[in-house]
Amino acid sequence: MVRFLNFVSVLEDVATKDLQELENNVEQAIGEDKFIYEACAPLINGGKRLRPVLFLLCAKSRGEISAEKTLPLATALELIHTASLVHDDILDSAKKRRGVPTINSKYGAQISVLVGDFLFAKAFQLVAEGQYSAQIDTILSKLVKNLCVGEIMQDRALFTVPTISEYYDRINLKTAVFLSTCCRLGGIVAEMDQKDVESLASYGTSLGLAFQIIDDVLDFFGDEKVTGKKIGGDIKSGVVNLPVIRALSVSDESDVLREIVTRREVTDSDIDDAIEIIKNTDAVEYCKMRADGHIDSARLSLPFLIKTSVEIALEQIADFVVDRTW
Ligand code: FPP
Ligand code: MG
């Protein structure tokens, strides 16, 4: 059962039919090949559908819009996101995602690369068949390039401590650009004017920065059963995230923490020690304060004159991003 964004009370009024169709389309896309379906269905079923939901809501900001204009692109966005997660789990040697074993842990990295490539190719097939404009093709290509650059930036800096500005460059490319692109594409298919499209995109950027900061907090302080991921995964894979950056600058035990996060092999007990050090600082409050600031900016970015139900849904998504536990 897909965990839709069911906290968005108005989502049902705005997009129930589209979301059902989205599920059918995604199912059909991965159902083209029996092995791909078996490998991907458990992963895909656990998603929030945040990206296609943002796109669909923004596409409806001025009123109804035909499913032919939205569904292929909405499906493609979910498939691109899934492809990126499949590849990300190889890079991170992650064992679990969305509460189920990762494709790499089940079938190995070789097969996982190809499963990610399949999803990625399928996404672009849907976009081609949907006959979107060259502008939309270019935006999608830039999105994927940015995801790759963000991941390369992160990979090249593993086991080192980034500055706040380097951290922001990374999370902007790997997360915020995606959410921003979904909102931008929604505005474009709704034929909104340039200024309003930019406002929606800014909402997405700020939402994405907050989303990633909370993701970093959940990496240490989430409940594995709820997040579906192993605690301390970032430290294990060498990603120095915002709670660590903050704790390193304020903790009395920053030397111990620095030694752990820059070491290539860590045990579960090292991760527990790191968590304890972070817990004894204001790192979580600091991250939440930053995330709240981005959410305030997201709200302020929303354009005037959008459908009330869409505005409420986008505001509720903003609230969810900072309060979420999954
Ligand atoms: C999860 O972030 C991963 C991403 C946001 C992007 C991954 C992108 C790539 C691997 C580039 C390749 C892209 C395509 C489309 C093939 P995270 O590692 O911070 O979060 P996590 O804890 O959920 O793993
Ligand atoms: Mg990861």
Side-chain angles (χ1 to χ4, degrees), residues 80 84 87-88 91-92 97 120 151 174 212 215 229:
I80 294 171
S84 81
H87 284 185
D88 184 64
L91 297 173
D92 292 349
R97 172 165 309 269
F120 189 45
E151 280 292 305
K174 77 170 188 177
Q212 187 57 50
D215 210 63
K229 299 188 274 198

Side-chain angles (χ1 to χ4, degrees), residues 55 59 65 68-74 76-77 80 123-124 126-144 181-192 197:
F55 164 71
I65 178 163
E68 294 90 83
K69 280 195 179 162
T70 54
L71 275 168
L73 193 43
L77 289 167
I80 294 171
F124 278 89
L126 292 176
V127 175
E129 288 168 357
Q131 299 191 325
Y132 290 95
S133 62
Q135 182 197 16
I136 289 183
D137 295 346
T138 306
I139 290 173
L140 284 173
S141 307
K142 283 189 181 160
L143 160 67
V144 177
T181 298
C182 295
C183 298
R184 178 186 297 283
L185 290 171
I188 291 173
V189 300
E191 298 178 12
M192 291 167 85
V197 170

Side-chain angles (χ1 to χ4, degrees), residues 13 127 137 158 187 244 267:
D13 315 338
V127 175
D137 295 346
L158 290 181
V244 173
T267 61

